[in-house]
Amino acid sequence: MLSNILIYFVVIPLLMLGGLALCRNIRQIRAVAVIGSLALTALSVYLLVDFLALRAAGDNAPMLYVDSWTWFEPLNIHLAVGVDGISVAMILLSSIIVLAGSFASWTIAQPKAFFLWLILLSTGVFGFFISIDLFTMFMFYEVALIPMYLLIGLWGTGRKEYSAMKLTLMLMGGSAFLLLGILGIYYHSAPAGSPLTMNLLEISANDAISHDWQYFLFPITFVGFGVLGAMFPFHTWSPDGHASAPTAVSMLHAGVLMKLGGYGCFRVAIYLMPFAANELAWIFLILTGISVVYGAFSACVQTDLKYINAYSSVSHCGLVLFAILMLNTTAMTGAVMQMLSHGLMTALFFALIGMIYGRTHTRDIRLMGGLMKIMPFLAVCYVIAGMASLGLPGLSGFVAEMTIFVGSFQEADLFHRTFTIIACCSIVITAVYILRVVGKLLLGPVQDEHHLSLTDAEWWERLSVITLIVCVAGIGCFPNWISNLLHNSFLPIIEVLTK
């Protein structure tokens, strides 16, 4: 069973959990967290290199490293794994943010319990991205969601109990929709007389879900995943959850967990129900278009650093779903690039906000100023993160957003082009709130004399931040490797959409 490389993305976190349970002091806890995170990152880089080599050698199968082990035979449920370029990209993103989050949590209170729950969350994330069985995917999805309640409720700040409960209830509501959708897909997964299946590839090949059932199941499934992707009007859990979560949890929450929503919409709702996707996409295109603009406008009026970044995440994640719903290769490529870009830059934002808050003990931009001369390293890094968010060329945000808008404008009808132009307006709005925050937070006179005695970043904070900046700049300057990675990944989707 352990001969498949993908299984190790679940095995390593489980070993980390065992190691953490045996730790007796803070040095051992940090060692387990960092060594395990480095192992996951190294494994994801190896997976990327090997995947690209297999594609270059001519292996054009929809999924690579496919394997399956029977789990519950009466319902034909398997631990089925496999990845394409999209999955590999998400696994690489997850491992980088887990590594950066480990360093960002270097001085967290009650570190043993914190890292136990954080690694359990990571286990769910990696398991979700490698699964091609609907039940297994849903199980890992729930494993990723449940620890969020405790991580926010115990280690959070502000209205942490309210935020943790709101997040949990809304995401569990989305899970109820998902479970209903998955059961509906399962019971219509094969022609009459054939065995039912939970395997994504088998369900798509069978093409047995009738158009009437697709009309019912597609909205349920898309909404279920869309809740996690902060789609309007189901986004309200996200800003409160971000604002109250500890730094590493905010990084994983916005950087990785919200990507499960976009990935699920793409992998399950659109791939398995293409007829309904073509017919009903316009409804969700309106909602996601609202998310893009509403999130950006909401960020403009916030004064709390975390709320500003949280509403920015609503806008950027809305752009991911917006691009997916265009149902063409260019826009979908942009959606994956945006998932990578947003994951890295929002993790960078939350890491920097946590470091600034840990020193100033406030996130209110009206009470801060002149931090550029007090903590120049953190200030410069914040400017870089802001420039990536507003789409400065040379950074990841520019590549992702331009690909999305070019792909979206390929749809020649008035409806799609109108909403594309509306979504483009978010770039200008983003520039407004980013430059406003940079001006108030980093420039101008110092608002509090006590801030003059503050220190700049420690070595572990610098390591966490530099890791993320290198990745943001790497995607912005060298985007072609992502195109190579995603080559052929969209062909199965486009084929079923154009039947």
Side-chain angles (χ1 to χ4, degrees), residues 303-304 362-369 436 440-441 447:
T303 57
D304 184 302
T362 181
R363 296 195 303 257
D364 193 330
I365 60 174
R366 297 169 297 183
L367 303 179
M368 292 182 280
R436 167 177 169 261
K440 285 183 175 292
L441 184 69
Q447 299 294 322

Side-chain angles (χ1 to χ4, degrees), residues 185 200 203-211 213-215 217-218 265-281 325 327 332 492-499:
I185 292 170
L200 289 169
I203 295 171
S204 180
N206 289 337
D207 192 22
I209 305 176
S210 68
H211 291 177
W213 273 105
Q214 286 191 36
Y215 272 121
L217 295 173
F218 175 80
C265 288
F266 182 86
R267 182 71 73 206
V268 178
I270 292 175
Y271 183 45
L272 300 185
M273 291 163 285
F275 177 80
N278 277 311
E279 295 295 318
L280 303 179
L325 288 163
L327 307 181
M332 289 179 179
I493 312 289
I494 299 301
E495 284 178 3
V496 297
L497 287 170
T498 54
K499 278 185 179 179

